[in-house]
Amino acid sequence: MTDTTNMSAKELLGFYQEELYEEARQAKKEGKLVCWSASVAPSELCVTMDIAMIYPETHAAGIGARKGALDMLEVADGKGYNLDTCSYARVNLGYMELLKEEALTGKTPEKLEKSPAARIPLPDLLITCNNICNTLLKWYENLAVELNIPLIIIDVPFNHTMPIPQYAMDYIAEQFKDAIAQLEEICGKKFDYDKFLKVQEQTQRSVAQWNRVAALSSHKPSPLNCFDLFNYMALIVCARSKDYAEITFKKFADELEENLKNGIFAFKGSEQRRVTWEGIAVWPHLGHTFKGLKNLGNIMTGSAYPGLWNLSYTPGDMSSMAEAYTRIYINTCLDNKVKVLSDIISGGKCDGVVYHQNRSCKLMSFLNVETADMLQKENGLPYVSFDGDQTDPRNFAPAQFDTRVQALDEMMKQNKEGVSNE
């Protein structure tokens, strides 16, 4: 057993990511169940049942970040999947087709062999939840048909008003109970509610440490560049119901707090202006987007995207858990979305906003124009948008991004000069 005691947070991140994939591969070898899950589906249910978990969105992001997305996208294109479909879905569906081919022929396809991402096994069951988009329903329904395996769906209504009404929480809580009944049938054993409570408590400890890390960007200068949250996000998605996430995030927060105490900041004295990033990371061009801002002295200290996993609730209370899984800000009305972003902008002491107009994630881009307009009227901060995609590298133009962030930088400078001259 590997001793992780003296590992840095970065080392822990890499170690536990690989550990999760190895656990799934080992489970498959031993004839145990493997589940493919949507990123904001209730992991607590499957972890309680000792089911190994794989998260296709995170796996697809990893393929994109390692420059391997095009091979998977070409497979999906060849199968007739529409180019307007979520690129996470298309990368995963392409990967699934290659795994199917390998299973049927006994030969590993060349594109699967050379894929830079971790190898994952085919699933025995699926669980999805539409609190971040309805594409997940059709994506997972398609996987279930292609692989002829069970699919558990948690239907989460869109919140047209806030606060969330009790009937909506009751509706979701009942679906949790129905999902438990389905898992009991699939697994052939009873659900352990005592263990479930412990898993819920672990999830809350992980979420608390995740929020602790994110809050450190409020310091000025900041010890944290929120681009780091994009990388560490893998564990809040894939391991929030295990102690892997808590251990890693606690270590990261401890390191950042020590840096803060010693006057060590993310940009080492070169922080000039602070921005909020609204939208998913551009994984195939993560380095370019980070450097494009950093080269101008701009640090990202705010982003609502990592906050999707601020799943705080009261363990033992199904209604509270249901509320956590439905209050995802992109699953709420425009007024609430604006409020969430406003709090992030002020919390990060930001000087401007960058909006990622994501070509294949409609919901993350939906109402960005209205949101930007309402926020600017409220806080007077400049903003720009750029065209991109979370995993398809063909939908991002580096020159356009550079031009837009340069324009934002000039507007932020003018704003600051105007304030200092008053």
Side-chain angles (χ1 to χ4, degrees):
M1 187 173 179
T2 304
D3 182 9
T4 60
T5 308
N6 296 316
M7 286 188 183
S8 67
K10 187 175 181 180
E11 289 168 336
L12 287 169
L13 174 65
F15 175 79
Y16 284 127
Q17 280 184 284
E18 178 52 34
E19 186 78 359
L20 288 162
Y21 287 127
E22 180 56 30
E23 286 173 0
R25 292 189 292 262
Q26 192 59 35
K28 198 71 172 180
K29 287 178 186 175
E30 296 174 4
K32 297 177 181 177
L33 294 177
V34 175
C35 176
W36 282 9
S37 172
S39 63
V40 200
S43 56
E44 296 89 338
L45 307 181
C46 288
V47 171
T48 299
M49 295 296 266
D50 296 316
I51 299 170
M53 305 289 287
I54 293 289
Y55 292 82
E57 291 153 86
T58 300
H59 189 250
I63 294 175
R66 293 174 178 84
K67 315 297 184 187
L70 278 177
D71 278 349
M72 301 303 139
L73 292 167
E74 286 170 3
V75 174
D77 293 348
K79 291 291 181 178
Y81 291 105
N82 194 295
L83 289 172
D84 284 336
T85 305
C86 164
S87 61
Y88 279 162
R90 286 184 289 127
V91 167
N92 174 247
L93 291 166
Y95 196 91
M96 178 270 295
E97 291 288 349
L98 296 178
L99 287 178
K100 272 179 58 181
E101 182 181 334
E102 181 182 54
L104 290 169
T105 65
K107 296 179 182 179
T108 303
E110 182 183 353
K111 286 181 177 178
L112 183 59
E113 183 71 42
K114 70 177 187 178
S115 174
R119 281 298 300 268
I120 60 173
L122 283 167
D124 302 295
L125 72 151
L126 305 157
I127 184 167
T128 194
C129 183
N130 61 337
N131 51 7
I132 55 174
C133 77
N134 281 320
T135 296
L136 282 161
L137 297 180
K138 293 303 175 186
W139 172 3
Y140 277 68
E141 284 175 355
N142 188 78
L143 286 171
V145 170
E146 289 286 340
L147 300 173
N148 192 28
I149 57 175
L151 166 62
I152 296 171
I153 295 175
I154 309 291
D155 176 43
V156 175
F158 186 86
N159 295 291
H160 295 279
T161 59
M162 295 294 282
I164 294 158
Q166 186 62 47
Y167 64 78
M169 291 185 277
D170 292 343
Y171 173 67
I172 298 162
E174 285 302 312
Q175 289 183 81
F176 289 162
K177 294 173 186 176
D178 187 57
I180 288 169
Q182 291 177 72
L183 285 170
E184 288 179 325
E185 184 176 346
I186 292 166
C187 297
K189 65 179 182 180
K190 296 297 288 180
F191 190 79
D192 186 339
Y193 280 90
D194 290 334
K195 183 178 178 182
F196 181 46
L197 180 61
K198 288 183 170 58
V199 172
Q200 288 179 309
E201 289 169 346
Q202 177 58 69
T203 304
Q204 292 312 294
R205 290 194 295 273
S206 298
V207 168
Q209 291 297 332
W210 177 243
N211 291 341
R212 181 181 162 216
V213 171
L216 286 163
S217 66
S218 64
H219 292 275
K220 196 171 185 177
S222 175
L224 170 68
N225 179 5
C226 286
F227 270 96
D228 288 336
L229 293 181
F230 288 166
N231 292 319
Y232 282 87
M233 192 186 300
L235 290 185
I236 195 65
V237 174
C238 303
R240 62 182 175 272
S241 295
K242 300 169 82 77
D243 65 358
Y244 301 172
E246 180 191 4
I247 292 166
T248 304
F249 300 151
K250 182 180 184 305
K251 183 71 172 182
F252 191 28
D254 288 346
E255 289 173 355
L256 290 170
E257 287 180 353
E258 184 66 20
N259 286 344
L260 188 63
K261 187 170 70 175
N262 294 322
I264 301 171
F265 305 107
F267 276 16
K268 298 179 174 60
S270 63
E271 176 185 317
Q272 301 296 318
R273 286 157 294 281
R274 300 155 69 95
V275 301
T276 287
W277 176 289
E278 170 51 7
I280 303 175
V282 184
W283 296 112
H285 299 279
L286 191 64
H288 185 94
T289 53
F290 161 66
K291 290 173 185 174
L293 288 164
K294 185 180 180 181
N295 290 342
L296 296 168
N298 297 327
I299 185 170
M300 194 228 293
T301 56
S303 178
Y305 180 39
L308 289 174
W309 290 273
N310 176 19
L311 296 163
S312 303
Y313 60 80
T314 303
D317 184 341
M318 279 291 205
S319 183
S320 176
M321 182 176 162
E323 192 272 342
Y325 276 94
T326 189
R327 69 165 177 264
I328 311 302
Y329 83 107
I330 54 173
N331 194 52
T332 62
C333 57
L334 178 59
D335 286 345
N336 189 64
K337 181 181 179 184
V338 169
K339 181 184 182 304
V340 168
L341 286 171
S342 178
D343 290 344
I344 287 167
I345 291 166
S346 59
K349 301 178 176 64
C350 297
D351 305 301
V353 187
V354 178
Y355 291 89
H356 175 192
Q357 296 294 99
N358 195 323
R359 291 293 185 88
S360 74
C361 186
K362 308 302 186 290
L363 195 55
M364 284 297 289
S365 301
F366 185 55
L367 297 178
N368 268 358
V369 173
E370 291 82 358
T371 302
D373 184 55
M374 291 171 70
L375 280 168
Q376 189 177 52
K377 287 177 180 175
E378 175 188 303
N379 58 34
L381 298 182
Y383 68 88
V384 294
S385 63
F386 71 93
D387 296 312
D389 193 286
Q390 67 257 37
T391 337
D392 192 334
R394 298 167 295 188
N395 287 334
F396 175 82
Q400 187 207 56
F401 178 82
D402 292 344
T403 301
R404 299 293 170 84
V405 297
Q406 285 167 8
L408 178 64
D409 185 64
E410 290 172 9
M411 289 188 285
M412 290 190 296
K413 282 180 185 175
Q414 289 174 357
N415 255 19
K416 283 198 166 186
E417 288 169 3
V419 169
S420 62
N421 292 332
E422 288 178 358

